Amino acid sequence: VVFCGVTVKCFGETLYNDSHLSHHFWEITEYLLNTLLFTLGGCVWGDIVSKPNVTGSRVEDARFLFGASDWGYLFLLFFLLIVIR
């Protein structure tokens, strides 16, 4: 894989005319794939968070895995990451 990347870097740039167009193509591709990745990840996370943990056979016995203290930790983590960044 590294050899292929080095080969394309050395010889591939002379095979196309507009390197600016190629740069923008990869920026757009990166943005769209990141958006898709984080959207799917958010859907999976939301599905995990919203499922109840059924300990008994009755629906009334269901407990949600994500409680109020977890939301507090989540917001604390969010604000700390913003400050650190």
Side-chain angles (χ1 to χ4, degrees), residues 18-44:
D18 192 6
S19 63
H20 187 70
L21 178 66
S22 175
H23 181 73
H24 281 290
F25 169 77
W26 288 115
E27 281 183 356
I28 291 170
T29 303
E30 176 191 9
Y31 175 77
L32 292 175
L33 290 177
N34 274 334
T35 302
L36 178 66
L37 174 73
F38 283 102
T39 301
L40 290 175
C43 290
V44 169

mmCIF file of all heavy atoms in Angstrom, residues 18-44:
data_model
loop_
_atom_site.group_PDB
_atom_site.id
_atom_site.type_symbol
_atom_site.label_atom_id
_atom_site.label_comp_id
_atom_site.label_asym_id
_atom_site.label_seq_id
_atom_site.Cartn_x
_atom_site.Cartn_y
_atom_site.Cartn_z
ATOM 1 N N ASP A 18 -5.302 19.174 -13.962
ATOM 2 C CA ASP A 18 -5.641 20.182 -12.971
ATOM 3 C C ASP A 18 -5.516 19.601 -11.563
ATOM 4 O O ASP A 18 -6.404 18.885 -11.097
ATOM 5 C CB ASP A 18 -7.069 20.674 -13.231
ATOM 6 C CG ASP A 18 -7.417 21.917 -12.447
ATOM 7 O OD1 ASP A 18 -6.517 22.474 -11.780
ATOM 8 O OD2 ASP A 18 -8.585 22.331 -12.505
ATOM 9 N N SER A 19 -4.433 19.908 -10.889
ATOM 10 C CA SER A 19 -4.255 19.399 -9.528
ATOM 11 C C SER A 19 -5.192 20.096 -8.554
ATOM 12 O O SER A 19 -5.564 19.526 -7.526
ATOM 13 C CB SER A 19 -2.805 19.573 -9.075
ATOM 14 O OG SER A 19 -2.456 20.938 -9.025
ATOM 15 N N HIS A 20 -5.597 21.333 -8.863
ATOM 16 C CA HIS A 20 -6.543 22.072 -8.018
ATOM 17 C C HIS A 20 -7.890 21.352 -7.983
ATOM 18 O O HIS A 20 -8.513 21.235 -6.928
ATOM 19 C CB HIS A 20 -6.689 23.501 -8.554
ATOM 20 C CG HIS A 20 -7.492 24.397 -7.681
ATOM 21 N ND1 HIS A 20 -7.039 24.839 -6.462
ATOM 22 C CD2 HIS A 20 -8.722 24.938 -7.846
ATOM 23 C CE1 HIS A 20 -7.953 25.612 -5.918
ATOM 24 N NE2 HIS A 20 -8.994 25.691 -6.747
ATOM 25 N N LEU A 21 -8.334 20.864 -9.133
ATOM 26 C CA LEU A 21 -9.584 20.122 -9.215
ATOM 27 C C LEU A 21 -9.498 18.836 -8.406
ATOM 28 O O LEU A 21 -10.440 18.470 -7.699
ATOM 29 C CB LEU A 21 -9.924 19.814 -10.673
ATOM 30 C CG LEU A 21 -11.179 18.994 -10.922
ATOM 31 C CD1 LEU A 21 -12.413 19.774 -10.501
ATOM 32 C CD2 LEU A 21 -11.267 18.614 -12.380
ATOM 33 N N SER A 22 -8.384 18.151 -8.478
ATOM 34 C CA SER A 22 -8.193 16.915 -7.717
ATOM 35 C C SER A 22 -8.226 17.187 -6.214
ATOM 36 O O SER A 22 -8.824 16.433 -5.447
ATOM 37 C CB SER A 22 -6.871 16.270 -8.102
ATOM 38 O OG SER A 22 -6.618 15.151 -7.315
ATOM 39 N N HIS A 23 -7.601 18.274 -5.799
ATOM 40 C CA HIS A 23 -7.590 18.645 -4.389
ATOM 41 C C HIS A 23 -9.011 18.890 -3.892
ATOM 42 O O HIS A 23 -9.402 18.408 -2.819
ATOM 43 C CB HIS A 23 -6.705 19.877 -4.184
ATOM 44 C CG HIS A 23 -6.612 20.327 -2.772
ATOM 45 N ND1 HIS A 23 -5.894 19.634 -1.826
ATOM 46 C CD2 HIS A 23 -7.149 21.392 -2.141
ATOM 47 C CE1 HIS A 23 -5.999 20.261 -0.674
ATOM 48 N NE2 HIS A 23 -6.748 21.332 -0.836
ATOM 49 N N HIS A 24 -9.801 19.625 -4.653
ATOM 50 C CA HIS A 24 -11.183 19.899 -4.253
ATOM 51 C C HIS A 24 -12.031 18.629 -4.260
ATOM 52 O O HIS A 24 -12.904 18.456 -3.414
ATOM 53 C CB HIS A 24 -11.814 20.960 -5.159
ATOM 54 C CG HIS A 24 -11.395 22.345 -4.802
ATOM 55 N ND1 HIS A 24 -11.814 22.971 -3.657
ATOM 56 C CD2 HIS A 24 -10.572 23.219 -5.421
ATOM 57 C CE1 HIS A 24 -11.273 24.179 -3.588
ATOM 58 N NE2 HIS A 24 -10.510 24.350 -4.650
ATOM 59 N N PHE A 25 -11.788 17.743 -5.220
ATOM 60 C CA PHE A 25 -12.515 16.476 -5.251
ATOM 61 C C PHE A 25 -12.291 15.693 -3.969
ATOM 62 O O PHE A 25 -13.232 15.170 -3.367
ATOM 63 C CB PHE A 25 -12.070 15.642 -6.458
ATOM 64 C CG PHE A 25 -12.572 14.227 -6.409
ATOM 65 C CD1 PHE A 25 -13.885 13.946 -6.726
ATOM 66 C CD2 PHE A 25 -11.727 13.199 -6.033
ATOM 67 C CE1 PHE A 25 -14.357 12.644 -6.666
ATOM 68 C CE2 PHE A 25 -12.186 11.904 -5.979
ATOM 69 C CZ PHE A 25 -13.503 11.626 -6.293
ATOM 70 N N TRP A 26 -11.032 15.603 -3.501
ATOM 71 C CA TRP A 26 -10.752 14.835 -2.297
ATOM 72 C C TRP A 26 -11.278 15.529 -1.048
ATOM 73 O O TRP A 26 -11.655 14.866 -0.074
ATOM 74 C CB TRP A 26 -9.263 14.531 -2.178
ATOM 75 C CG TRP A 26 -8.836 13.509 -3.178
ATOM 76 C CD1 TRP A 26 -7.984 13.675 -4.215
ATOM 77 C CD2 TRP A 26 -9.288 12.146 -3.248
ATOM 78 N NE1 TRP A 26 -7.869 12.514 -4.927
ATOM 79 C CE2 TRP A 26 -8.660 11.551 -4.357
ATOM 80 C CE3 TRP A 26 -10.164 11.368 -2.495
ATOM 81 C CZ2 TRP A 26 -8.875 10.225 -4.703
ATOM 82 C CZ3 TRP A 26 -10.371 10.048 -2.855
ATOM 83 C CH2 TRP A 26 -9.744 9.492 -3.938
ATOM 84 N N GLU A 27 -11.319 16.854 -1.040
ATOM 85 C CA GLU A 27 -11.925 17.567 0.093
ATOM 86 C C GLU A 27 -13.408 17.267 0.191
ATOM 87 O O GLU A 27 -13.927 17.011 1.279
ATOM 88 C CB GLU A 27 -11.718 19.075 -0.060
ATOM 89 C CG GLU A 27 -10.356 19.561 0.317
ATOM 90 C CD GLU A 27 -10.233 21.068 0.212
ATOM 91 O OE1 GLU A 27 -11.206 21.731 -0.229
ATOM 92 O OE2 GLU A 27 -9.172 21.584 0.572
ATOM 93 N N ILE A 28 -14.104 17.312 -0.934
ATOM 94 C CA ILE A 28 -15.541 17.027 -0.936
ATOM 95 C C ILE A 28 -15.799 15.573 -0.561
ATOM 96 O O ILE A 28 -16.711 15.274 0.216
ATOM 97 C CB ILE A 28 -16.152 17.369 -2.313
ATOM 98 C CG1 ILE A 28 -16.139 18.875 -2.515
ATOM 99 C CG2 ILE A 28 -17.573 16.824 -2.439
ATOM 100 C CD1 ILE A 28 -16.499 19.302 -3.917
ATOM 101 N N THR A 29 -14.991 14.669 -1.089
ATOM 102 C CA THR A 29 -15.141 13.251 -0.760
ATOM 103 C C THR A 29 -14.927 13.016 0.728
ATOM 104 O O THR A 29 -15.682 12.280 1.367
ATOM 105 C CB THR A 29 -14.149 12.414 -1.584
ATOM 106 O OG1 THR A 29 -14.364 12.670 -2.971
ATOM 107 C CG2 THR A 29 -14.319 10.936 -1.308
ATOM 108 N N GLU A 30 -13.908 13.645 1.299
ATOM 109 C CA GLU A 30 -13.640 13.509 2.729
ATOM 110 C C GLU A 30 -14.816 14.029 3.552
ATOM 111 O O GLU A 30 -15.255 13.379 4.503
ATOM 112 C CB GLU A 30 -12.377 14.268 3.102
ATOM 113 C CG GLU A 30 -12.089 14.260 4.583
ATOM 114 C CD GLU A 30 -10.990 15.241 4.957
ATOM 115 O OE1 GLU A 30 -10.558 16.041 4.108
ATOM 116 O OE2 GLU A 30 -10.574 15.201 6.123
ATOM 117 N N TYR A 31 -15.351 15.186 3.180
ATOM 118 C CA TYR A 31 -16.466 15.778 3.912
ATOM 119 C C TYR A 31 -17.691 14.868 3.863
ATOM 120 O O TYR A 31 -18.333 14.607 4.894
ATOM 121 C CB TYR A 31 -16.797 17.158 3.336
ATOM 122 C CG TYR A 31 -18.013 17.774 3.967
ATOM 123 C CD1 TYR A 31 -17.946 18.346 5.235
ATOM 124 C CD2 TYR A 31 -19.237 17.781 3.308
ATOM 125 C CE1 TYR A 31 -19.059 18.897 5.819
ATOM 126 C CE2 TYR A 31 -20.350 18.326 3.878
ATOM 127 C CZ TYR A 31 -20.269 18.886 5.135
ATOM 128 O OH TYR A 31 -21.373 19.427 5.718
ATOM 129 N N LEU A 32 -18.028 14.365 2.686
ATOM 130 C CA LEU A 32 -19.212 13.516 2.545
ATOM 131 C C LEU A 32 -19.061 12.197 3.298
ATOM 132 O O LEU A 32 -20.002 11.745 3.965
ATOM 133 C CB LEU A 32 -19.500 13.258 1.068
ATOM 134 C CG LEU A 32 -19.961 14.471 0.261
ATOM 135 C CD1 LEU A 32 -20.097 14.106 -1.212
ATOM 136 C CD2 LEU A 32 -21.275 15.000 0.799
ATOM 137 N N LEU A 33 -17.887 11.580 3.224
ATOM 138 C CA LEU A 33 -17.692 10.316 3.929
ATOM 139 C C LEU A 33 -17.651 10.510 5.447
ATOM 140 O O LEU A 33 -18.157 9.663 6.190
ATOM 141 C CB LEU A 33 -16.426 9.625 3.434
ATOM 142 C CG LEU A 33 -16.513 9.082 2.006
ATOM 143 C CD1 LEU A 33 -15.180 8.488 1.579
ATOM 144 C CD2 LEU A 33 -17.620 8.054 1.874
ATOM 145 N N ASN A 34 -17.074 11.612 5.922
ATOM 146 C CA ASN A 34 -17.098 11.900 7.363
ATOM 147 C C ASN A 34 -18.522 12.130 7.840
ATOM 148 O O ASN A 34 -18.913 11.671 8.913
ATOM 149 C CB ASN A 34 -16.236 13.117 7.693
ATOM 150 C CG ASN A 34 -14.795 12.746 7.905
ATOM 151 O OD1 ASN A 34 -14.487 11.623 8.276
ATOM 152 N ND2 ASN A 34 -13.913 13.691 7.680
ATOM 153 N N THR A 35 -19.301 12.859 7.038
ATOM 154 C CA THR A 35 -20.699 13.099 7.390
ATOM 155 C C THR A 35 -21.461 11.784 7.468
ATOM 156 O O THR A 35 -22.215 11.539 8.420
ATOM 157 C CB THR A 35 -21.360 14.030 6.363
ATOM 158 O OG1 THR A 35 -20.626 15.259 6.327
ATOM 159 C CG2 THR A 35 -22.797 14.310 6.724
ATOM 160 N N LEU A 36 -21.272 10.914 6.497
ATOM 161 C CA LEU A 36 -21.934 9.617 6.494
ATOM 162 C C LEU A 36 -21.501 8.780 7.695
ATOM 163 O O LEU A 36 -22.336 8.170 8.382
ATOM 164 C CB LEU A 36 -21.626 8.879 5.190
ATOM 165 C CG LEU A 36 -22.219 7.490 5.053
ATOM 166 C CD1 LEU A 36 -23.739 7.572 4.989
ATOM 167 C CD2 LEU A 36 -21.666 6.815 3.817
ATOM 168 N N LEU A 37 -20.210 8.752 7.978
ATOM 169 C CA LEU A 37 -19.693 7.967 9.096
ATOM 170 C C LEU A 37 -20.286 8.425 10.423
ATOM 171 O O LEU A 37 -20.769 7.611 11.215
ATOM 172 C CB LEU A 37 -18.163 8.071 9.134
ATOM 173 C CG LEU A 37 -17.494 7.426 10.336
ATOM 174 C CD1 LEU A 37 -17.549 5.913 10.212
ATOM 175 C CD2 LEU A 37 -16.074 7.902 10.457
ATOM 176 N N PHE A 38 -20.271 9.723 10.687
ATOM 177 C CA PHE A 38 -20.754 10.210 11.964
ATOM 178 C C PHE A 38 -22.279 10.144 12.061
ATOM 179 O O PHE A 38 -22.818 9.984 13.161
ATOM 180 C CB PHE A 38 -20.238 11.625 12.228
ATOM 181 C CG PHE A 38 -18.810 11.623 12.669
ATOM 182 C CD1 PHE A 38 -17.794 11.954 11.787
ATOM 183 C CD2 PHE A 38 -18.466 11.261 13.958
ATOM 184 C CE1 PHE A 38 -16.477 11.937 12.187
ATOM 185 C CE2 PHE A 38 -17.147 11.244 14.371
ATOM 186 C CZ PHE A 38 -16.150 11.581 13.482
ATOM 187 N N THR A 39 -22.983 10.239 10.938
ATOM 188 C CA THR A 39 -24.431 10.057 10.956
ATOM 189 C C THR A 39 -24.783 8.621 11.322
ATOM 190 O O THR A 39 -25.647 8.376 12.169
ATOM 191 C CB THR A 39 -25.044 10.427 9.596
ATOM 192 O OG1 THR A 39 -24.730 11.786 9.306
ATOM 193 C CG2 THR A 39 -26.538 10.242 9.595
ATOM 194 N N LEU A 40 -24.114 7.672 10.688
ATOM 195 C CA LEU A 40 -24.363 6.265 11.020
ATOM 196 C C LEU A 40 -23.953 5.952 12.458
ATOM 197 O O LEU A 40 -24.657 5.231 13.166
ATOM 198 C CB LEU A 40 -23.616 5.362 10.045
ATOM 199 C CG LEU A 40 -24.138 5.350 8.620
ATOM 200 C CD1 LEU A 40 -23.228 4.520 7.732
ATOM 201 C CD2 LEU A 40 -25.552 4.820 8.573
ATOM 202 N N GLY A 41 -22.834 6.494 12.886
ATOM 203 C CA GLY A 41 -22.410 6.297 14.272
ATOM 204 C C GLY A 41 -23.407 6.880 15.262
ATOM 205 O O GLY A 41 -23.698 6.274 16.298
ATOM 206 N N GLY A 42 -23.951 8.041 14.949
ATOM 207 C CA GLY A 42 -24.965 8.647 15.808
ATOM 208 C C GLY A 42 -26.235 7.826 15.860
ATOM 209 O O GLY A 42 -26.877 7.697 16.913
ATOM 210 N N CYS A 43 -26.626 7.242 14.734
ATOM 211 C CA CYS A 43 -27.810 6.378 14.713
ATOM 212 C C CYS A 43 -27.596 5.130 15.555
ATOM 213 O O CYS A 43 -28.484 4.719 16.311
ATOM 214 C CB CYS A 43 -28.154 5.989 13.278
ATOM 215 S SG CYS A 43 -28.798 7.339 12.289
ATOM 216 N N VAL A 44 -26.422 4.530 15.450
ATOM 217 C CA VAL A 44 -26.122 3.335 16.255
ATOM 218 C C VAL A 44 -26.092 3.700 17.730
ATOM 219 O O VAL A 44 -26.654 3.001 18.575
ATOM 220 C CB VAL A 44 -24.788 2.703 15.806
ATOM 221 C CG1 VAL A 44 -24.325 1.633 16.777
ATOM 222 C CG2 VAL A 44 -24.926 2.128 14.416
#
